[in-house]
Amino acid sequence: PFESGKKRITEYSNAQQIWRNFKFDVSNSQIFYRLDGLYFGNIIFDGAIFYGTADFESSYFLEDIIFSFVRFEKDVNFKNSTFGGKLRFGHPNESLESVNFKGSTFNKSAYFEALSILGEANFESSHFHGDTRFNLPFNGDARFENAHFSGFIHFGMSYFLGGANFEKAKFMNDAYFLASSFNKYANFKDAEFVHKAPVFTRYSSSDGIKYAAQFSSSAPPENYNFEVSEKENFHSIETEELYDKGKKFIIPKGCTLY
């Protein structure tokens, strides 16, 4: 097993050195074929159109990669992919059927913004080593079970119109959910907040406005679970009870129902 693992590491290192020397420009291309299991050094996708599922499963992106000016006609699959450089993902007025980043590794910053995900967004068991920002509406379920966030993570102004599942996710740094909306359910069961408790509400010193996450009172109260892990002195989420139409909701303190 050791020799086998050593061989894979050597092969990956050699591939990195080889593909870093190439620059590919597929701008404005029409792509209808799979790109899974490949190594990408410097590659430009500006204006490209992906017909059918955009399949990058188990691929390696060795340098910074931008998917901000790309059109995806169907699903997007980056399952088990590795991003060695910075990632920027999103296109103004773009709507994606679903995205799958399950088990992927982001070694530097990752920004997901300016797009709408209509179906499931799967980031289960992904590792985010750099600062990460999501600023978009999740129309389907957003899955972050067992995800690992080493850097700063910001979900401010994100809309979870489906479910938001952070069960057993691990947050090593600051986590912000300011002005986010949760419509269907929010599950933080056994999540680990190592650095400090997540921030759901804050007053702005510049304009005096309170920015707080909000939770739909149309969802069953039991759909909101903030019973995070308390082992090893991890930080808890301070909650309070709010009532709407005779129903008792337990949500983070300072947040609102709508």
Side-chain angles (χ1 to χ4, degrees):
F2 174 78
E3 289 299 325
S4 177
K6 183 177 179 181
K7 181 181 178 181
R8 286 196 300 270
I9 293 172
T10 301
E11 290 174 347
Y12 173 63
S13 179
N14 291 339
Q16 281 187 309
Q17 296 306 316
I18 292 172
W19 289 108
R20 284 185 196 277
N21 297 325
F22 292 90
K23 183 174 182 179
F24 295 95
D25 188 344
V26 291
S27 299
N28 302 309
S29 297
Q30 298 184 22
I31 302 173
F32 49 87
Y33 41 84
R34 296 172 58 176
L35 296 168
D36 57 315
L38 300 178
Y39 289 83
F40 297 95
N42 293 292
I43 187 165
I44 301 173
F45 284 104
D46 290 357
I49 302 175
F50 287 84
Y51 295 98
T53 297
D55 192 353
F56 289 92
E57 183 170 341
S58 299
S59 289
Y60 294 83
F61 296 87
L62 306 177
E63 304 291 340
D64 296 349
I65 183 70
I66 298 175
F67 285 100
S68 294
F69 302 97
V70 177
R71 197 170 90 204
F72 298 100
E73 292 291 325
K74 297 194 71 175
D75 301 336
V76 178
N77 180 24
F78 286 91
K79 182 179 178 181
N80 295 324
S81 291
T82 299
F83 298 87
K86 299 176 183 178
L87 168 66
R88 187 172 292 275
F89 191 91
H91 185 288
N93 303 316
E94 179 77 69
S95 294
L96 303 181
E97 291 189 13
S98 68
V99 296
N100 186 358
F101 285 88
K102 181 179 179 179
S104 292
T105 300
F106 305 85
N107 287 324
K108 294 187 178 180
S109 61
Y111 298 125
F112 298 85
E113 54 194 0
L115 77 155
S116 176
I117 302 174
L118 302 177
E120 182 180 84
N122 192 344
F123 292 87
E124 181 184 353
S125 301
S126 291
H127 289 252
F128 298 85
H129 295 286
D131 293 341
T132 305
R133 182 183 297 271
F134 288 87
N135 185 7
L136 50 87
F138 295 93
N139 291 280
D141 289 344
R143 301 186 56 186
F144 291 91
E145 309 101 294
N146 294 295
H148 191 288
F149 300 94
S150 296
F152 164 105
I153 174 66
H154 195 288
F155 283 96
M157 300 298 292
S158 287
Y159 297 90
F160 297 94
L161 301 177
N165 196 345
F166 291 91
E167 184 169 352
K168 296 184 178 179
K170 190 165 188 174
F171 299 82
M172 303 296 295
N173 213 311
D174 295 352
Y176 290 92
F177 294 89
L178 296 170
S180 292
S181 295
F182 297 85
N183 185 63
K184 188 176 179 182
Y185 69 82
N187 181 20
F188 287 85
K189 181 176 174 57
D190 294 328
E192 300 177 358
F193 292 94
V194 179
H195 178 58
K196 66 179 184 181
V199 180
F200 286 89
T201 180
R202 174 173 290 175
Y203 280 97
S204 171
S205 58
S206 60
D207 55 23
I209 297 176
K210 178 183 177 180
Y211 294 92
Q214 56 181 357
F215 298 82
S216 173
S217 60
S218 297
E222 61 270 20
N223 281 14
Y224 298 129
N225 189 332
F226 299 97
E227 297 177 357
V228 302
S229 174
E230 296 181 356
K231 66 180 182 181
E232 301 180 22
N233 297 316
F234 292 157
H235 298 271
S236 61
I237 298 176
E238 186 177 6
T239 59
E240 64 179 345
E241 298 177 359
L242 294 180
Y243 291 83
D244 184 81
K245 298 178 182 178
K247 296 188 295 184
K248 181 177 74 174
F249 293 86
I250 300 176
I251 62 175
K253 188 175 182 179
C255 295
T256 62
L257 293 173
Y258 71 97

